[in-house]
Amino acid sequence: MPNNVHIAPVDKGAAVQKTTRKRFNVLLLVFITVVINYMDRTNISVAASALSDELSLTSVQMGLVFSAFGWTYSILQIPGGIAVDVVKTRILYPFILIAWSLATLIQGVISSFSALIGCRMAIGVFEAPSYPCNNKIITSWFPESERASAIAVYTSGQFIGLAFLMPVLAVIQNYFGWRGLFIISGIIGIAWAVVWYIFYRDPKDHPKISQQELDLLTVEAPLTTSAPKVKKITFDAAHFKLAFGHKKLWGIYIGQFCLGGTLMFFLTWFPTYLVEYRGLDFIKSGFLASVPFLAAFFGVLVSGFASDFLVRKGVSKEVSRKAPIIIGLMLTMSIVGANYTDDTFWIITFLSLAFFGNGLSSIAWVFVSLISPKKLVGLVGGCFNFIGGLSAVIVPIVIGWLVKDGDFKPALIFIASLALIGCCSYLFLVGKVEQIQTEK
């Protein structure tokens, strides 16, 4: 009768083996922040019809309103990227979140075209560092083998969030008016900023991260586990020359502009297209508008997880990382099919296929981590988003001008043409996927 069942070592071993997965909690924080970010960018598109009627705005003026966000957002991408490299994320993100949410809220109390433009510009100012910040967080918290999946998850926030929010925002406006829509959106963002500050930490500062998880991040993502951020990099002309001087970087910059063109159509003119140019009921259009966003959401997830799966199977980065983007851009060109039907089902089908393609291509941020010099992730991310952000300046204005005579067909041809240019950019400019090395 061996009574020596003294198996305490098993408990001890289990304790030693226990590891954490705090990086997925961080990913959830980023995901929800992206949903709020895009809610505050796009509630203007839901409010557009009622707002333009009350303020007597033309389609060209609405194009300027849609574009105003992009004026400051794109110009401040590079300073925003530098801020991400210098300012502690836990401080920077809640600050910009509160600031852009206040600007969103103020839109609900203004009554002039110029004030509306000013508010949209203010939102662009404070959202400018958000995506470089997201990329820095994911680069810090996820090993390279999981990074495309993580980027896919948080990027999907802009699609799945809006898929469910479009009907909700339409209902909110129906009950509280377009002013109430902006005020409620702003309050949500301010509340979330408090949540972010309470729960976010960098890996090395997180009180509950296990050594095993920290070791995993340290091996593949040394950016956050190293010493003082302020001394990490001193910016000079050589760094900017590097950021704007590489052909492969220009490949991803141009590609991001073209991706942004499709996205900006859906974030700005899409509800107006359904209501005013296709004659759909406002509430019904809110529900139909959610379908392409759901398609884009699935496109993002398919691309991210499939890309990481191929990487783990040893497939080259040229195939595993580029293929989803190129296939997605080719699918985006199908948007022109909506020009050749008046059937609502087929209109939504073509638009959904195009936005699925845009989602499939939206892991492009992974190229910032893969190609940019290790210490310039923030700067290159800022340049990348600066060029991409120019689509938010140019595309809404171009569409407003193209549709001023009441025909939306040229606008959809324009979006398809951008997708073709983006496809060629990744095929012929990006080249071999490898990190750019620097002397320092």
Side-chain angles (χ1 to χ4, degrees):
M1 313 261 166
N3 202 3
N4 47 333
V5 187
H6 199 49
I7 303 190
V10 173
D11 286 332
K12 185 182 171 194
V16 172
Q17 291 278 39
K18 186 176 179 186
T19 187
T20 55
R21 297 166 71 84
K22 295 301 177 185
R23 61 193 184 279
F24 298 108
N25 296 344
V26 170
L27 182 58
L28 179 62
L29 285 175
V30 175
F31 175 88
I32 296 173
T33 306
V34 168
V35 171
I36 292 170
N37 183 309
Y38 273 81
M39 175 183 70
D40 291 338
R41 294 189 198 194
T42 58
N43 48 22
I44 188 75
S45 69
V46 175
S49 276
L51 182 153
S52 60
D53 286 345
E54 184 172 324
L55 301 184
S56 303
L57 304 180
T58 66
S59 70
V60 174
Q61 285 178 310
M62 280 309 301
L64 288 169
V65 169
F66 288 146
S67 170
F69 166 86
W71 302 347
T72 49
Y73 183 80
S74 57
I75 289 170
L76 292 175
Q77 280 306 299
I78 295 173
I82 294 172
V84 168
D85 281 328
V86 169
V87 181
K88 199 170 178 65
T89 306
R90 188 173 178 237
I91 304 298
L92 179 63
Y93 225 150
F95 170 76
I96 62 174
L97 228 173
I98 289 172
W100 90 58
S101 297
L102 283 172
T104 298
L105 190 153
I106 291 169
Q107 286 175 121
V109 298
I110 54 92
S111 298
S112 72
F113 172 66
S114 57
L116 185 58
I117 290 283
C119 286
R120 297 303 297 172
M121 290 176 67
I123 294 170
V125 168
F126 295 110
E127 286 199 6
S130 59
Y131 259 68
C133 205
N134 293 339
N135 194 57
K136 184 68 173 286
I137 292 166
I138 296 306
T139 302
S140 305
W141 269 99
F142 282 82
E144 201 278 321
S145 59
E146 297 177 357
R147 210 169 287 159
S149 300
I151 290 172
V153 169
Y154 84 68
T155 304
S156 74
Q158 68 196 49
F159 301 122
I160 191 65
L162 292 178
F164 290 107
L165 281 176
M166 279 292 184
V168 172
L169 293 176
V171 170
I172 289 173
Q173 179 173 313
N174 195 50
Y175 283 98
F176 300 100
W178 63 269
R179 295 182 183 277
L181 175 62
F182 289 132
I183 291 168
I184 292 169
S185 299
I187 291 170
I188 290 170
I190 292 167
W192 183 249
V194 176
V195 174
W196 176 274
Y197 182 79
I198 291 170
F199 288 103
Y200 181 77
R201 299 289 189 282
D202 287 334
K204 65 186 177 65
D205 298 325
H206 201 291
K208 294 184 179 178
I209 190 171
S210 69
Q211 189 59 48
Q212 291 95 324
E213 185 173 18
L214 192 57
D215 289 343
L216 175 68
L217 305 179
T218 305
V219 169
E220 292 195 50
L223 275 164
T224 43
T225 52
S226 61
K229 291 193 172 183
V230 184
K231 294 206 101 183
K232 186 181 298 181
I233 181 168
T234 53
F235 290 94
D236 55 36
H239 293 122
F240 286 95
K241 183 178 178 183
L242 182 66
F244 284 107
H246 270 264
K247 183 177 79 169
K248 64 177 61 181
L249 289 179
W250 272 106
I252 65 172
Y253 296 163
I254 294 169
Q256 188 68 358
F257 177 89
C258 297
L259 278 170
T262 304
L263 182 61
M264 288 314 301
F265 162 69
F266 282 98
L267 296 187
T268 57
W269 282 102
F270 179 43
T272 302
Y273 169 70
L274 293 180
V275 173
E276 295 186 9
Y277 294 87
R278 289 300 189 173
L280 297 178
D281 170 76
F282 178 72
I283 295 294
K284 183 181 179 183
S285 74
F287 284 92
L288 287 175
S290 70
V291 178
F293 283 97
L294 280 172
F297 164 71
F298 285 114
V300 170
L301 293 186
V302 167
S303 66
F305 288 101
S307 180
D308 276 351
F309 173 78
L310 291 174
V311 167
R312 288 193 293 270
K313 290 294 181 183
V315 178
S316 72
K317 290 177 183 177
E318 280 68 37
V319 175
S320 61
R321 298 312 197 193
K322 276 189 191 176
I325 295 176
I326 292 169
I327 293 169
L329 286 164
M330 292 173 69
L331 286 174
T332 299
M333 289 183 255
S334 67
I335 197 169
V336 295
N339 284 343
Y340 302 100
T341 180
D342 291 320
D343 187 296
T344 301
F345 171 82
W346 285 108
I347 291 169
I348 297 299
T349 297
F350 281 119
L351 293 172
S352 298
L353 184 60
F355 213 15
F356 173 84
N358 189 259
L360 204 61
S361 304
S362 292
I363 61 162
W365 265 101
V366 77
F367 281 88
V368 174
S369 300
L370 292 174
I371 292 176
S372 65
K374 193 185 303 181
K375 293 183 179 179
L376 294 180
V377 171
L379 177 59
V380 171
C383 296
F384 176 80
N385 225 24
F386 165 66
I387 303 296
L390 289 177
S391 64
V393 177
I394 297 167
V395 170
I397 293 175
V398 171
I399 292 177
W401 181 77
L402 289 172
V403 305
K404 70 181 187 302
D405 295 324
D407 185 5
F408 221 95
K409 290 179 181 177
L412 297 189
I413 293 171
F414 169 61
I415 298 302
S417 301
L418 287 178
L420 176 60
I421 293 169
C423 189
C424 292
S425 178
Y426 270 93
L427 282 171
F428 303 117
L429 292 181
V430 171
K432 186 173 172 139
V433 181
E434 59 186 359
Q435 190 169 62
I436 296 169
Q437 301 299 321
T438 57
E439 314 76 41
K440 298 183 175 187

